[in-house]
């Protein structure tokens, strides 16, 4: 949240140099406040688990959030009941004439397919196009990050020889980035994917900036310089046991899978894993909600979002 301080307090200049957001009293008096409208486009088969994980993070804010659940209408879900979808979910058709303050698009277990072979690809590309004009900021997670980078910027994904699987140390690449405000210099993030994007491909796109990466697991967060599109390759939303569950599943199926890196105490899969990334997951989502959504979105959501979007410095 912005700090409201007297207009002439000397600390203001120091905090502004550190990119800490302060608000003059005069501006604060004129600030209009309303609930934020955030959609979750849930592409995961395990929809109820993902809803809970993301709501836990989005709920950690003093801001009021109206949460809209979306699923792709061109995909028939095998693992989520129709009853659940009918009761709680909408489709793009229901909201395409509206505007959103923010949208989160989840991962999906389709990363080893060509994008065009995913049966809801056409619908997803329509949503991605629509998001440019109708959503203040969109956060893409894991496969959705690859899909968004491919659709918007032509950035490819590459198959990995071995699954990137475990909890890896990451660093902040751009100092004073608002999205990573308050992060430690080194922090943990779960990664669980068979494919990768490269720094070289991203550097070819002048609109994009790499905000965080890992020596071991590569690029973590990429954003457009205006903050409208954020691409996160890891799974900071995962619960302590999500990687364990995936590991046990793959072992039971006889798939070639290593013990997740840096996860179990003493690397022993019979022991209960610790969650060592929760604090940063909470910071990532609250920074996104505050600096990229709440501070940027127009009070009248019907206003053309691109016009209202100030040239924010990340
Ligand atoms: C890289 C990332 O983004 S990581 C995020 C993905 N991780 C996870 O989903 C972890 C949890 N999921 C799982 O473990 C498994 O998908 C399970 C256990 C739920 C089901 O696995 P299986 O029985 O082997 O596969 P199943 O045939 O049910 O298909 C799994 C999912 O793949 C997706 N899928 C498969 N083929 C296609 C296709 N052609 N087009 C689009 N989606 C497809 C669907 O999401 C499907 O589930 P859904 O219909 O409920 O949405
Ligand atoms: N996190 C995913 C990767 C596959 O897309 C899983 O293990 O299910």
């Amino acid at each position: 949240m912005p700090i409201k301080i007297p207009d002439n307090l000397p600390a203001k200049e120091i905090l502004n140099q550190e990119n800490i957001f302060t608000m003059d009293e005069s501006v604060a008096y004129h600030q209009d406040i309303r609930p934020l409208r955030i959609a979750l486009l849930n592409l995961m088969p395990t929809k109820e688990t993902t809803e809970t994980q993301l709501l836990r993070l989005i709920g950690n804010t003093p801001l009021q959030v109206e949460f809209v659940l979306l699923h792709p209408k061109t995909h028939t879900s095998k693992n989520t009941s129709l009853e659940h979808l009918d009761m709680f979910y909408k489709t793009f058709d229901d909201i395409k004439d509206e505007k959103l303050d923010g949208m989160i698009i989840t991962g999906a277990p389709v990363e080893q397919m060509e994008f065009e072979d995913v049966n809801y690809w056409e619908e997803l590309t329509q949503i991605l196009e629509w998001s440019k004009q109708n959503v203040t900021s969109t956060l893409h997670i894991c496969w959705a990050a690859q899909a968004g980078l491919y659709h918007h910027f032509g950035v490819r994904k590459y198959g990995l020889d071995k699954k990137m699987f475990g909890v890896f140390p990451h660093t902040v690449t751009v100092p004073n980035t608002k999205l990573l405000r308050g992060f430690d210099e080194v922090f943990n993030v779960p990664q669980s994917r068979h494919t990768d994007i490269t720094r070289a491909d991203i550097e070819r796109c002048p609109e994009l900036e790499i905000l965080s990466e890992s020596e071991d697991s590569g690029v973590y967060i990429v954003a457009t310089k205006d903050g409208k599109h954020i691409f996160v390759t890891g799974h900071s939303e995962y619960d302590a046991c999500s990687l364990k569950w995936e590991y046990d599943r793959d072992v039971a199926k006889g798939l070639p899978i290593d013990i997740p890196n840096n996860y179990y105490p003493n690397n022993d899969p019979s022991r209960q894993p610790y969650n060592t990334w929760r604090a940063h997951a909470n910071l990532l989502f609250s920074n996104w909600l505050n600096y990229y959504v709440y501070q940027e979105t127009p009070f009248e959501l019907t206003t053309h979002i691109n016009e209202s979007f100030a040239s924010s410095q990340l």
Side-chain angles (χ1 to χ4, degrees):
M1 295 298 292
I3 316 172
K4 192 185 113 190
I5 53 174
D7 293 0
N8 303 320
L9 192 74
K12 184 176 179 222
E13 199 182 321
I14 299 167
L15 294 175
N16 284 351
Q17 275 165 15
E18 290 171 25
N19 220 357
I20 304 290
F21 185 61
T22 60
M23 188 179 279
D24 291 349
E25 277 181 332
S26 49
V27 175
Y29 281 128
H30 291 100
Q31 209 187 25
D32 292 318
I33 295 178
R34 59 164 175 77
L36 293 176
R37 192 147 191 269
I38 308 287
L40 173 67
L41 175 57
N42 194 346
L43 306 176
M44 291 285 278
T46 48
K47 286 198 170 27
E48 292 180 42
T49 305
T50 306
E51 288 156 22
T52 313
Q53 289 170 342
L54 287 163
L55 276 169
R56 186 178 290 128
L57 294 167
I58 292 293
N60 185 33
T61 168
L63 304 170
Q64 274 187 41
V65 176
E66 180 196 335
F67 210 57
V68 182
L69 291 165
L70 299 175
H71 76 102
K73 77 162 189 202
T74 47
H75 174 78
T76 306
S77 185
K78 278 208 252 175
N79 298 281
T80 307
S81 71
L82 199 55
E83 194 185 7
H84 183 79
L85 294 177
D86 281 349
M87 195 173 305
F88 300 112
Y89 277 73
K90 294 183 173 184
T91 67
F92 177 52
D93 284 348
D94 299 322
I95 58 128
K96 68 181 178 205
D97 297 326
E98 301 169 12
K99 309 259 180 200
L100 294 170
D101 299 304
M103 178 162 67
I104 300 167
I105 312 182
T106 69
V110 292
E111 50 164 340
Q112 285 164 301
M113 292 178 191
E114 294 300 325
F115 291 113
E116 292 78 5
D117 291 339
V118 173
N119 58 22
Y120 49 79
W121 180 247
E122 200 184 317
E123 183 181 357
L124 180 61
T125 59
Q126 283 170 17
I127 298 173
L128 292 171
E129 273 308 297
W130 172 87
S131 72
K132 290 185 193 168
Q133 302 296 327
N134 297 287
V135 186
T136 301
S137 183
T138 303
L139 185 84
H140 311 67
I141 299 174
C142 200
W143 179 77
Q146 298 178 338
L149 283 166
Y150 175 69
H151 174 75
H152 292 302
F153 302 103
V155 170
R156 285 187 53 193
K157 65 181 158 89
Y158 299 89
L160 291 166
D161 293 338
K162 201 165 73 160
K163 186 174 182 181
M164 185 66 68
F165 193 40
V167 181
F168 297 90
H170 288 64
T171 54
V172 176
T173 319
V174 179
N176 293 335
T177 298
K178 287 189 277 184
L179 192 62
L180 304 182
R181 165 92 26 92
F183 273 52
D184 292 331
E185 280 162 24
V186 179
F187 55 94
N188 280 333
V189 181
Q191 296 279 353
S192 176
R193 54 191 158 78
H194 301 274
T195 54
D196 204 11
I197 50 171
T198 67
R199 170 172 259 282
D201 285 349
I202 292 155
E203 282 174 343
R204 276 194 275 276
C205 304
E207 303 94 328
L208 295 174
E209 194 165 33
I210 297 173
L211 304 185
S212 171
E213 59 194 331
S214 159
E215 272 184 28
D216 305 309
S217 56
V219 173
Y220 171 42
I221 302 181
V222 182
T224 52
K225 289 179 181 159
D226 63 5
K228 241 183 124 49
H229 303 281
I230 315 246
F231 307 98
V232 179
T233 64
H235 280 289
S236 63
E237 79 285 1
Y238 267 14
D239 295 321
C241 284
S242 301
L243 295 178
K244 171 181 166 49
W245 186 83
E246 292 179 358
Y247 175 67
D248 291 347
R249 174 201 66 195
D250 291 352
V251 168
K253 280 186 176 173
L255 295 172
I257 186 76
D258 288 348
I259 296 173
N261 178 72
N262 185 32
Y263 181 54
Y264 294 106
N266 293 332
N267 223 18
D268 175 356
S270 68
R271 297 192 50 191
Q272 195 66 14
Y274 298 117
N275 184 323
T276 58
W277 58 89
R278 187 183 291 122
H280 290 96
N282 277 288
L283 259 185
L284 176 67
F285 278 80
S286 57
N287 285 343
W288 174 67
L289 264 186
N290 181 14
Y291 298 114
Y292 295 73
V293 181
Y294 175 65
Q295 303 297 341
E296 296 291 350
T297 206
F299 182 73
E300 296 288 347
L301 249 189
T302 46
T303 313
H304 194 284
I305 278 176
N306 273 353
E307 281 169 14
S308 72
F309 210 82
S311 54
S312 58
Q313 345 106 21
L314 293 176

